[in-house]
Amino acid sequence: MTASLSLATPTPAPQADPRKVVVTIEGLNKHYGAFHVLRDINLNVREGERIVLCGPSGSGKSTLIRCINRLEIAEQGNIRVNDTDLALTTRQAAEVRSEIGMVFQHFNLFPHMSVLDNCTLAPMSVRGLSRKEAEDRARFYLNKVGIESQAGKYPNQLSGGQQQRVAIARALCMKPKIMLFDEPTSALDPEMVAEVLDVLVKLADTGMTMLCVTHEMGFARQVAERVLFLDGGQIIEDAAPETFFNNPQSARAKGFLAQILH
């Protein structure tokens, strides 16, 4: 008996992401005393990826992104940014770190300096820009985040949302290749959250590589390419937003989403 030929079109194999891997984390472990905050973390981040990290408090999200910027030092494992090992104490490693921008929960602006001076300090001292070059760059990014008119004011004269936008502009003034956000809206009053999220959405549209710790699930749905769900110091799920929100695989993620999306 002659076998019949199938005319069905074969399902194409998924295509590998061609973008360059810019951050590689292998076997990362971090303790705070007896508390094992990160457990065997392995992660690749590609150029231009937008990754949201979520999970319950104490799950290791903020510690993970702080390790990427070497604000925290892990006891085991390694982190490479553009193939440079951040464990090295060399000028090369320091230069790589200068390519990573960080925006914190509590702004961390210098209160005795104007908005403009907050934004020009690092480009002048680290990048060697002249004052005019630094001020031109600062005004450009302050305009991008919609706050150039506040350049002459001091942080205590601004709302929380305005201060966070200044913090984002300040980080962008270093022209980083990677931006890290550690719960950038959690210290804001609810009415100020939207203005900061709007800035982050616009930044994502530029193709910036971004890792953002946040509980703003609407932002994750709109902006993220990948959602990492952490619990107990481990990455429990790593999925596209539509998969994570519509079909989470772990009971822990299902319980987290049921609480946060109710």
Side-chain angles (χ1 to χ4, degrees):
M1 180 177 179
T2 304
S4 61
L5 296 177
S6 172
L7 299 179
T9 303
T11 302
Q15 296 297 308
D17 192 325
R19 293 175 293 184
K20 175 186 176 183
V21 174
V22 293
V23 178
T24 301
I25 301 174
E26 296 174 330
L28 202 70
N29 283 269
K30 170 69 179 174
H31 295 77
Y32 292 134
F35 180 42
H36 197 168
V37 64
L38 294 177
R39 300 172 180 268
D40 300 318
I41 297 290
N42 296 286
L43 177 66
N44 285 333
V45 179
R46 294 185 181 275
E47 188 173 37
E49 270 197 303
R50 304 180 302 277
I51 298 176
V52 163
L53 295 85
C54 64
S57 296
S59 59
K61 310 178 299 294
S62 294
T63 301
L64 176 55
I65 66 167
R66 288 172 68 88
C67 284
I68 295 173
N69 207 19
R70 214 173 175 223
L71 295 173
E72 300 282 355
I73 308 298
E75 292 85 9
Q76 293 179 318
N78 62 75
I79 299 175
R80 294 191 302 278
V81 177
N82 291 323
D83 297 321
T84 297
D85 189 343
L86 289 193
L88 300 176
T89 55
T90 63
R91 177 176 296 181
Q92 184 182 18
E95 289 174 354
V96 169
R97 287 182 62 210
S98 74
E99 303 292 338
I100 303 173
M102 183 91 177
V103 176
F104 299 89
Q105 179 178 347
H106 293 291
F107 323 138
N108 288 8
L109 300 174
F110 294 112
H112 63 288
M113 299 175 68
S114 70
V115 166
L116 188 63
D117 288 342
N118 264 281
C119 292
T120 58
L121 179 63
M124 291 171 62
S125 60
V126 177
R127 297 281 194 241
L129 269 62
S130 69
R131 174 163 290 280
K132 183 181 186 308
E133 290 172 326
E135 288 189 357
D136 287 347
R137 183 181 293 186
R139 292 187 185 281
F140 174 81
Y141 285 112
L142 288 169
N143 182 60
K144 284 288 186 183
V145 300
I147 205 167
E148 184 185 5
S149 62
Q150 311 297 324
K153 292 186 178 179
Y154 288 83
N156 65 2
Q157 296 175 297
L158 306 179
S159 70
Q162 289 174 323
Q163 289 186 62
Q164 192 62 290
R165 284 189 280 162
V166 172
I168 294 169
R170 179 179 62 177
L172 292 174
C173 283
M174 290 292 285
K175 292 195 171 179
K177 293 183 171 63
I178 300 166
M179 283 288 289
L180 308 176
F181 297 90
D182 188 5
E183 301 198 35
T185 61
S186 64
L188 301 178
D189 292 334
E191 65 269 21
M192 297 177 185
V193 169
E195 67 184 65
V196 173
L197 290 179
D198 183 59
V199 170
L200 298 185
V201 169
K202 291 176 180 176
L203 180 59
D205 289 341
T206 69
M208 172 71 72
T209 306
M210 298 171 57
L211 289 90
C212 183
V213 175
T214 185
H215 290 297
E216 299 291 340
M217 295 296 98
F219 171 77
R221 285 180 183 270
Q222 180 179 0
V223 170
E225 288 181 67
R226 292 164 65 189
V227 176
L228 305 185
F229 175 75
L230 280 74
D231 187 42
Q234 297 178 300
I235 298 175
I236 304 298
E237 300 205 21
D238 178 351
E242 59 270 22
T243 300
F244 177 72
F245 287 109
N246 297 328
N247 188 29
Q249 298 301 298
S250 65
R252 189 66 186 91
K254 290 176 184 176
F256 174 80
L257 289 172
Q259 285 188 325
I260 206 166
L261 297 177
H262 72 278

